[in-house]
Amino acid sequence: QELRDEAVEVEVAIESRERRLQEVNERVEKLQEGHEELKSKREKQAMLTRFKRIVKDVRDMQRQEVKTQLEDEMNNLLSYFSDGLFGPATHVEFTDGSSYQFTVYTGEGRRYKSHISDQNTAEVVLHTLLFHTALLKRLAQLDDSLPYRVFVIDAPFANEMDIGNAPDIRSFLAQLPEILDDYQILVSAAETESFDVDTYTNYSIKRLNST
């Protein structure tokens, strides 16, 4: 009887240990599954990081190509300026990085930066005309370019245009239809000394009476 009782106790102990062993095995399986899932996530994260780096490198390369193309266009356009701030300009350079800020250099050693234009002159107008004209010329060269090509310039002689730059802006606007011959150019301005309509023979002039 003692042996039977002892055998029963041993069997109960064995069953208990088997249950515990089964629980441990299940926990080990879950841990293994969790480890595999974590490993998979880390591999995907590493792949995503590499992909982002590749995308960034490609984007930076393409951006630099665009900047180089715009620099060429803008350097060609500098020949249209002769009297004002950009008259002695020699070349244009974009800053490094993701921005499209640029600097106009002159043979006199002066620099005109697009993001810190002098508010007392028409420098911001010169920068704007130079950049946007070059950009539109570049867009016109692309196969999948804009379906509707129009360049609207509102009040280019506003804010008391300084005398030094007015002739250059007037001359540039007058030649703009030839520079951007694929675009419709719309210029709106008050008829003042700076904006003499007789200069714009390439435009169809429409006068609006003020009320």
Side-chain angles (χ1 to χ4, degrees):
Q1 183 62 40
E2 290 178 358
L3 290 174
R4 290 193 189 97
D5 293 341
E6 186 177 347
V8 171
E9 291 178 358
V10 171
E11 289 178 358
V12 170
I14 291 174
E15 290 178 357
S16 175
R17 283 170 173 73
E18 286 179 344
R19 286 195 299 271
R20 292 181 60 189
L21 181 60
Q22 180 64 30
E23 292 174 356
V24 170
N25 287 334
E26 291 175 354
R27 291 176 59 188
V28 169
E29 290 178 358
K30 290 182 179 179
L31 288 174
Q32 288 177 339
E33 291 175 357
H35 176 71
E36 291 298 326
E37 183 178 354
L38 179 60
K39 182 180 177 181
S40 176
K41 287 183 177 180
R42 285 178 176 173
E43 290 176 350
K44 291 179 180 178
Q45 183 64 38
M47 291 175 60
L48 179 61
T49 300
R50 290 195 296 271
F51 178 73
K52 286 182 177 179
R53 186 165 56 248
I54 293 172
V55 170
K56 181 181 182 301
D57 291 343
V58 172
R59 185 173 59 234
D60 290 344
M61 180 183 65
Q62 292 178 340
R63 181 183 290 116
Q64 187 56 47
E65 289 179 357
V66 170
K67 285 184 175 182
T68 300
Q69 293 165 354
L70 287 176
E71 282 179 355
D72 291 341
E73 293 288 356
M74 293 166 75
N75 286 331
N76 292 332
L77 292 173
L78 286 177
S79 62
Y80 289 93
F81 301 97
S82 59
D83 298 319
L85 296 176
F86 288 4
T90 57
H91 65 287
V92 175
E93 287 185 9
F94 281 95
T95 57
D96 295 330
S98 60
S99 77
Y100 281 84
Q101 297 173 354
F102 62 90
T103 302
V104 177
Y105 293 84
T106 72
E108 302 170 346
R110 300 202 62 178
R111 301 178 181 182
Y112 299 103
K113 298 184 177 181
S114 61
H115 59 290
I116 51 173
S117 299
D118 186 354
Q119 299 300 316
N120 296 318
T121 68
E123 184 182 346
V124 65
V125 179
L126 295 171
H127 277 129
T128 302
L129 287 174
L130 183 63
F131 176 78
H132 285 89
T133 302
L135 179 61
L136 292 177
K137 274 185 71 71
R138 175 57 191 154
L139 288 174
Q141 298 168 6
L142 302 178
D143 294 334
D144 54 349
S145 183
L146 305 172
Y148 183 60
R149 299 179 180 181
V150 60
F151 189 11
V152 179
I153 303 171
D154 182 36
F157 296 99
N159 301 327
E160 299 182 0
M161 175 62 58
D162 59 295
I163 299 176
N165 288 300
D168 263 356
I169 294 177
R170 184 165 54 245
S171 175
F172 188 82
L173 290 176
Q175 299 176 80
L176 198 53
E178 296 179 359
I179 299 172
L180 296 175
D181 55 357
D182 291 332
Y183 288 83
Q184 181 181 10
I185 313 297
L186 302 178
V187 180
S188 64
E191 190 170 354
T192 62
E193 181 179 350
S194 296
F195 188 72
D196 182 5
V197 295
D198 294 334
T199 305
Y200 304 94
T201 57
N202 288 338
Y203 290 82
S204 176
I205 305 298
K206 183 176 181 179
R207 287 182 169 85
L208 300 178
N209 296 325
S210 59
T211 58

